[in-house]
Amino acid sequence: MQNDMDSNNPDVLSLPDEPNNSEEICPAPNQEKPEKNRTLHTQHIFITCILFGLVGFLNAWHTIASDCIVHIIQPAQGIVFQGVEDRTPTPHLLAWSLSEIGRLIALNGLKLPVILVPEILLYSLLWMWIAHLFNPDYLPIRLKNPGTKGLFDGAFETDQPLRTSLLILFSGALVFAIWQLTPLPKYNYAALYLPRPGMIWMIRYMLIGLVIWFSAASGGIGDTFLHGPAVFRGKSLIPTCGKGLLWGAAVYLSTVIVEPTHIQTLLMHLQTLGTFNISLFLPIEHLYILCSFCAWISAGILLCFLIPNLSKASISNFSFKLLSVLEVTVIVVGCISLQWFSVTRLVKRYDLEPSIMETVADPYSPLKPTSGVPDGPMAAAAFSKLVHVPFGTSSQYPDTNVLVFRGHKPTVSVLKHGYTLDGLSANRVAMQRTLAFLKARRYVSSLSWMALKHMFDCYTLRFNTTKALHLLLLDMKYGPHPSQCDLATQTIPFTCAATPQNRELLNDYGNPNWFTHKNRFACRLIGDMYRRMGEASQSLKWYRKADMPPSFMQKMKNEKPMFNQGEVTGRIVINGKPASGMRIGIMPWRMNGLTPYVSLLLQNSIGEIYSPRAFSPLFGQFCPSPYAFRWLSASATTDSEGRFTVSDLTEGQYRLMLALPSTLQLKSPFDPGLSVSNSPTPFVVNYQAPRKDLGTVYINISVPHKKIRISKIHPEPQ
């Protein structure tokens, strides 16, 4: 009753009911706050991707720097680019950025101790983050007594600093040893066509996965080393081992899908295209870094999938979906980027078949700018097989004799073969096939140098230096071979006639979209070429770019423009009949407006035409190579009356040359059956003598015991 009264009395205090500890104090083991858990996991994912991606980016950048730099610059004092001459215009594809190359040189030149320090720091940070992912309560570095002034207000403390450092060094040494000591085949030219050695690479990644899991997993060997035997969980060793092996196998599969290999071998193959240039370097740099970045991010995402405390808690939440989307995204991006490195694509695009790579007689060396390119008889055979160009002369373009008139001196007869420097036929069908090959490959192929030589020789054999120069400029624009082409590119614009076609080609040589004129020497060279063609205004423009002194500029302004309207006419008669359809060539002897270097070369030009020395096994005595005919300034074809006219000659002294039909075969250098009346002497064209009429040149050819029928004289095929 008293109790009833007390319970009804408001003045009597009563204690509240005791809480149910089993329901409120001890929450369910799996009870957690979804929103907080989701945010934590999202941060884990992004930090993991950033750290792994950073490692992949730095590794790829260093690989690009160390492997590409030897293909860009020569091993000399200062920066000397491969295939680039300081005194000539530089092809736009070889106009390297000095700041970009400077970074590559600095990165490649880092000494081993300098490289090891940031790598150790970065990998230590990565290992500590992985250990934190395995055990969120483990923070190797934490902020003690944080203040309120900022994020880093307070003092830092470390958890087992000595043991942590030893564990990081030991696990890092194991990873390094596994990576370096795993036996892998040496790379060579054939390595590009072989698949990655799968089993060895998979074992390599799986061993690295074991090291990571045993050193960083909660309750594993690394955790036991840091915090004592109490945390060791022996029953988890087998699952830990399995997950480490699974992670290694998954990483191997992702790298196979998205990461290119054999970069050094790939660069050696691309060197066959000519001088390694910007159009090749930029996709390699950007796409290789992107592929490596994706591969490492994929490894980090796979790590998040397999870490126990994250995987079980996030299978059905936002983090698992995010991981899946990121993994698919990096795989797709990596696969798309990897297509540039596809062996099938490279072989089809650039003709990098193993049989063609074997024709590289002189393997690439940074000291030899012309090395690493297929050349010689084996390369010619490979080109002949691919493009279906036959060897030797043919009935469509047979051997012919060329007469060099010397006035009162005996006329010289030289033999012009119907094949090119490599022995390939120079007939019209071969030209068409070679030109179609170059256009289909956009002048970029492992055999582009062979095709370029073939077309150049075909043009010069036909006395067409305009098309030969145009071909060289196209090569410089799309797939430059400057070390092989610079000499011809510098000389032909000085010796060719000032025709509208040649003037247009000179404009292309000065086009800033095609060539870069970095210094005053290159600008003056273009100015000298315009001056030689009589383009006074253009020459002054380039002289100003070359920063020529005022006295020189005043002299050029007062100078009369160089004469460029020379004309020579004549008529050819063979054995009393007009020689119709014959090719006439105008060979310079002396010219005004040349640079000292070109003038010196020109003095020896006639010696290249009728040299008593054999040029090669294919071109014997008095058999000039096709390259010798590059000196011709202009050419023409005789009409039905045997008349010819050559115009637009610049100021200088010239000789006349005539290509005979193949039915007239003469001995070299002097044929006793050859007689010439009114043989043209070297003639001069200038302001005082703008036109020269050579009159009628009578050629009589008699062959003992053989009657020559004029009706069988056919013009030289073009």
Side-chain angles (χ1 to χ4, degrees):
M1 183 176 180
Q2 183 65 31
N3 292 337
D4 294 337
M5 292 176 61
D6 292 340
S7 61
N8 295 328
N9 187 355
D11 295 331
V12 178
L13 297 177
S14 62
L15 294 175
D17 296 334
E18 291 292 330
N20 189 346
N21 294 335
S22 61
E23 296 179 357
E24 299 182 14
I25 294 180
C26 299
N30 294 328
Q31 184 178 356
E32 53 185 53
K33 296 181 180 181
E35 186 64 24
K36 182 178 180 180
N37 186 42
R38 176 181 299 179
T39 304
L40 178 63
H41 290 175
T42 303
Q43 293 174 351
H44 281 171
I45 294 169
F46 281 111
I47 294 176
T48 303
C49 291
I50 290 173
L51 289 177
F52 273 85
L54 181 61
V55 173
F57 170 79
L58 295 178
N59 281 338
W61 194 24
H62 184 265
T63 300
I64 289 296
S66 59
D67 291 347
C68 289
I69 201 66
V70 296
H71 295 268
I72 299 176
I73 64 173
Q74 299 180 15
Q77 292 183 351
I79 299 179
V80 181
F81 294 107
Q82 294 285 355
V84 176
E85 295 288 341
D86 290 337
R87 296 177 177 268
T88 60
T90 302
H92 198 265
L93 291 178
L94 297 178
W96 298 96
S97 169
L98 289 177
S99 59
E100 174 70 17
I101 300 303
R103 286 193 293 268
L104 293 179
I105 294 175
L107 187 60
N108 181 60
L110 294 176
K111 302 299 182 182
L112 184 60
V114 180
I115 298 176
L116 285 178
V117 172
E119 283 191 352
I120 291 175
L121 292 177
L122 182 59
Y123 282 104
S124 299
L125 180 62
L126 184 62
W127 183 91
M128 288 187 290
W129 175 254
I130 293 174
H132 174 66
L133 288 179
F134 276 103
N135 185 6
D137 295 331
Y138 172 64
L139 294 175
I141 302 176
R142 70 184 72 198
L143 195 63
K144 182 181 180 182
N145 300 325
T148 59
K149 296 181 179 180
L151 180 62
F152 299 105
D153 182 22
F156 287 97
E157 66 175 1
T158 57
D159 183 8
Q160 300 286 347
L162 179 59
R163 293 194 174 192
T164 300
S165 302
L166 291 176
L167 182 59
I168 292 174
L169 290 176
F170 180 72
S171 59
L174 283 178
V175 171
F176 180 81
I178 293 171
W179 192 262
Q180 295 295 328
L181 300 180
T182 306
L184 295 174
K186 294 183 178 180
Y187 294 154
N188 49 37
Y189 275 117
L192 184 68
Y193 317 101
L194 300 176
R196 190 199 302 258
M199 186 58 64
I200 297 178
W201 280 80
M202 181 177 290
I203 292 174
R204 168 189 274 188
Y205 283 113
M206 292 173 71
L207 290 176
I208 293 175
L210 282 179
V211 173
I212 293 176
W213 249 257
F214 278 126
S215 63
S218 177
I221 297 176
D223 197 14
T224 303
F225 177 75
L226 290 176
H227 303 105
V231 299
F232 179 71
R233 295 197 298 268
K235 295 182 179 180
S236 65
L237 287 181
I238 295 180
T240 298
C241 178
K243 288 187 177 182
L245 295 174
L246 180 61
W247 179 82
V251 169
Y252 165 75
L253 293 177
S254 65
T255 55
V256 168
I257 296 173
V258 302
E259 187 176 27
T261 58
H262 313 312
I263 290 299
Q264 292 182 353
T265 304
L266 173 63
L267 293 174
M268 294 294 287
H269 281 69
L270 295 180
Q271 191 68 45
T272 62
L273 308 180
T275 305
F276 188 70
N277 56 68
I278 297 175
S279 66
L280 299 174
F281 171 73
L282 290 181
I284 290 177
E285 180 190 34
H286 297 161
L287 296 179
Y288 181 77
I289 290 177
L290 180 59
C291 289
S292 181
F293 184 75
C294 291
W296 277 81
I297 288 181
S298 175
I301 294 173
L302 293 172
L303 187 75
C304 293
F305 269 121
L306 296 175
I307 290 178
N309 69 298
L310 288 181
S311 60
K312 293 181 180 179
S314 58
I315 290 178
S316 59
N317 66 7
F318 172 78
S319 298
F320 179 81
K321 297 178 182 179
L322 179 61
L323 285 172
S324 303
V325 171
L326 286 176
E327 180 68 12
V328 173
T329 301
V330 297
I331 292 295
V332 171
V333 172
C335 288
I336 295 175
S337 304
L338 191 63
Q339 291 305 307
W340 195 93
F341 300 92
S342 170
V343 175
T344 303
R345 174 192 173 276
L346 293 174
V347 169
K348 182 179 179 180
R349 173 67 179 86
Y350 300 121
D351 304 304
L352 299 178
E353 289 85 356
S355 59
I356 297 178
M357 294 301 100
E358 294 174 357
T359 66
V360 180
D362 189 10
Y364 174 72
S365 170
L367 299 174
K368 298 179 181 179
T370 59
S371 60
V373 178
D375 200 359
M378 293 181 61
F383 177 76
S384 173
K385 182 179 179 180
L386 180 65
V387 190
H388 305 292
V389 174
F391 280 95
T393 58
S394 64
S395 58
Q396 292 82 13
Y397 198 81
D399 296 343
T400 58
N401 287 100
V402 175
L403 300 182
V404 182
F405 299 102
R406 304 193 299 169
H408 300 294
K409 295 181 180 180
T411 300
V412 176
S413 171
V414 297
L415 181 62
K416 178 166 69 74
H417 286 298
Y419 50 77
T420 63
L421 194 63
D422 295 305
L424 298 168
S425 176
N427 62 46
R428 179 161 293 278
V429 175
M431 288 181 62
Q432 292 173 348
R433 291 175 179 174
T434 302
L435 189 59
F437 170 81
L438 284 172
K439 290 181 178 180
R441 302 301 194 276
R442 299 180 182 177
Y443 293 84
V444 182
S445 166
S446 62
L447 293 174
S448 59
W449 171 237
M450 298 302 301
L452 178 74
K453 282 200 303 179
H454 182 253
M455 286 302 301
F456 184 87
D457 290 350
C458 289
Y459 288 142
T460 54
L461 286 173
R462 289 165 170 79
F463 298 173
N464 195 334
T465 53
T466 297
K467 288 188 176 180
L469 178 59
H470 185 213
L471 180 71
L472 295 178
L473 295 179
L474 288 175
D475 175 76
M476 292 289 194
K477 180 180 179 180
Y478 296 109
H481 297 82
S483 300
Q484 294 93 332
C485 300
D486 257 352
L487 183 60
T489 309
Q490 292 180 49
T491 54
I492 294 179
F494 276 109
T495 58
C496 65
T499 61
Q501 297 85 355
N502 289 336
R503 293 172 187 265
E504 187 63 29
L505 293 178
L506 182 54
N507 292 336
D508 292 338
Y509 203 26
N511 189 343
N513 296 324
W514 284 32
F515 294 89
T516 301
H517 310 83
K518 292 185 176 181
N519 51 54
R520 63 191 307 263
F521 301 106
C523 293
R524 176 167 182 177
L525 180 67
I526 300 296
D528 290 340
M529 290 178 179
Y530 275 113
R531 174 176 174 264
R532 208 272 309 178
M533 286 194 177
E535 296 276 357
S537 59
Q538 287 290 338
S539 63
L540 290 174
K541 169 186 173 183
W542 283 95
Y543 286 147
R544 282 191 290 269
K545 290 183 178 181
D547 196 21
M548 301 302 292
S551 58
F552 178 88
M553 295 297 298
Q554 188 62 39
K555 178 182 177 181
M556 293 297 104
K557 290 179 181 178
N558 298 333
E559 181 185 67
K560 190 176 183 179
M562 196 74 67
F563 178 75
N564 59 4
Q565 297 178 349
E567 182 179 278
V568 58
T569 60
R571 183 170 181 256
I572 304 296
V573 174
I574 301 179
N575 289 355
K577 300 290 184 177
S580 62
M582 303 299 159
R583 290 295 289 173
I584 297 292
I586 305 299
M587 180 79 175
W589 186 17
R590 297 184 182 94
M591 302 183 76
N592 292 335
L594 304 183
T595 63
Y597 177 64
V598 178
S599 180
L600 179 62
L601 294 177
L602 183 60
Q603 294 178 12
N604 301 321
S605 61
I606 197 65
E608 294 185 37
I609 298 295
Y610 51 82
S611 174
R613 297 180 180 179
F615 181 80
S616 71
L618 296 177
F619 299 91
Q621 294 178 327
F622 302 102
C623 296
S625 71
Y627 188 66
F629 294 105
R630 76 192 184 280
W631 288 110
L632 293 177
S633 294
S635 62
T637 303
T638 59
D639 60 14
S640 60
E641 296 296 325
R643 301 184 184 278
F644 65 89
T645 300
V646 180
S647 56
D648 297 317
L649 296 177
T650 60
E651 185 175 328
Q653 190 174 21
Y654 299 88
R655 297 176 186 266
L656 184 69
M657 297 172 59
L658 171 66
L660 294 175
S662 60
T663 54
L664 299 177
Q665 295 293 331
L666 304 178
K667 295 181 180 180
S668 298
F670 305 107
D671 191 297
L674 173 66
S675 63
V676 180
S677 300
N678 192 29
S679 177
T681 59
F683 58 91
V684 175
V685 292
N686 51 30
Y687 278 110
Q688 290 73 32
R691 293 175 179 81
K692 178 66 177 179
D693 185 9
L694 300 179
T696 302
V697 181
Y698 296 95
I699 303 173
N700 293 303
I701 301 174
S702 62
V703 180
H705 311 295
K706 184 177 181 180
K707 185 178 180 180
I708 299 177
R709 299 178 60 184
I710 303 301
S711 59
K712 290 187 177 181
I713 297 179
H714 301 291
E716 179 186 18
Q718 298 301 314

